[in-house]
Amino acid sequence: CETPCTQDAYARVTGTNPSHHVGAERPVDTVSFDAAVRFCERVGLRLPSEDEWEYACRAGSSSAYFHGDDPAELLRYALVERQLDATEPVRARAPNGFGLFAMLGNVMEWCCDPAGDRRQPCRGGSYQTSAVAARCGLRITDERECQSWDLGFRPAADLPPAPARCR
């Protein structure tokens, strides 16, 4: 999806909004891995794998940061970040090269690791992550039950199969 799941979308599907940082266009936060999976299943989507998430974040770049390795851009990001003590609307900053918003620095995003048992990966860095640490390769794992103020998710869809002549 272009953005992390918003509180508005989550509330429309589940009838609840567990978020600490309230705002219809802010990402839903304080959602466990299992709650994110249930949401995705209800709307016919799924959580991305870590590889899919990182590919989407990098948007065809080899840069560590989706906004590039330009020191001036990193400084701008750091200055904006110092003013944040909460999530921000999902389209508050420019999208990456694939047109995806808020890949870094808003909420960490649950990803799916089929081999994961009690722990699942989270990617992206949140508003609490420093500008230098909030990079495409940032990875943490957390308990599936974790519900943190800086943890949300981004649904993903399976691509339709290619026509038979293209396989």
Side-chain angles (χ1 to χ4, degrees):
C1 291
E2 283 184 347
T3 69
C5 181
T6 64
Q7 293 174 36
D8 182 56
Y10 192 84
R12 280 186 282 131
V13 171
T14 67
T16 64
N17 181 6
S19 299
H20 177 76
H21 304 292
V22 179
E25 290 305 310
R26 290 177 186 251
V28 66
D29 63 63
T30 319
V31 177
S32 71
F33 174 82
D34 292 326
V37 168
R38 282 192 303 274
F39 173 91
C40 290
E41 288 172 348
R42 287 182 71 178
V43 297
L45 300 172
R46 62 180 174 78
L47 291 177
S49 70
E50 285 193 272
D51 289 344
E52 290 170 325
W53 188 95
E54 189 166 335
Y55 177 79
C57 184
R58 289 187 188 279
S61 167
S62 60
S63 171
Y65 307 96
F66 81 79
H67 47 70
D69 291 323
D70 178 358
E73 182 63 18
L74 191 57
L75 177 60
R76 185 201 63 77
Y77 182 92
L79 291 173
V80 168
E81 148 202 301
R82 285 193 197 119
Q83 298 170 17
L84 296 178
D85 61 355
T87 60
E88 59 186 349
V90 296
R91 288 184 170 86
R93 300 185 196 186
N96 70 8
F98 285 170
L100 304 175
F101 292 85
M103 292 296 296
L104 299 174
N106 206 353
V107 289
M108 292 284 290
E109 297 178 14
W110 286 113
C111 292
C112 186
D113 176 2
D117 184 16
R118 299 291 311 145
R119 301 182 71 82
Q120 289 291 323
C122 307
R123 301 295 297 264
S126 74
Y127 66 92
Q128 296 180 332
T129 307
S130 74
V132 172
R135 54 190 170 70
C136 300
L138 177 64
R139 176 189 196 269
I140 65 164
T141 59
D142 223 325
E143 297 291 325
R144 295 170 68 110
E145 299 82 17
C146 179
Q147 297 175 316
S148 176
W149 294 355
D150 67 341
L151 182 55
F153 66 97
R154 178 184 306 261
D158 289 324
L159 294 175
R165 68 178 185 279
C166 297
R167 290 188 192 151

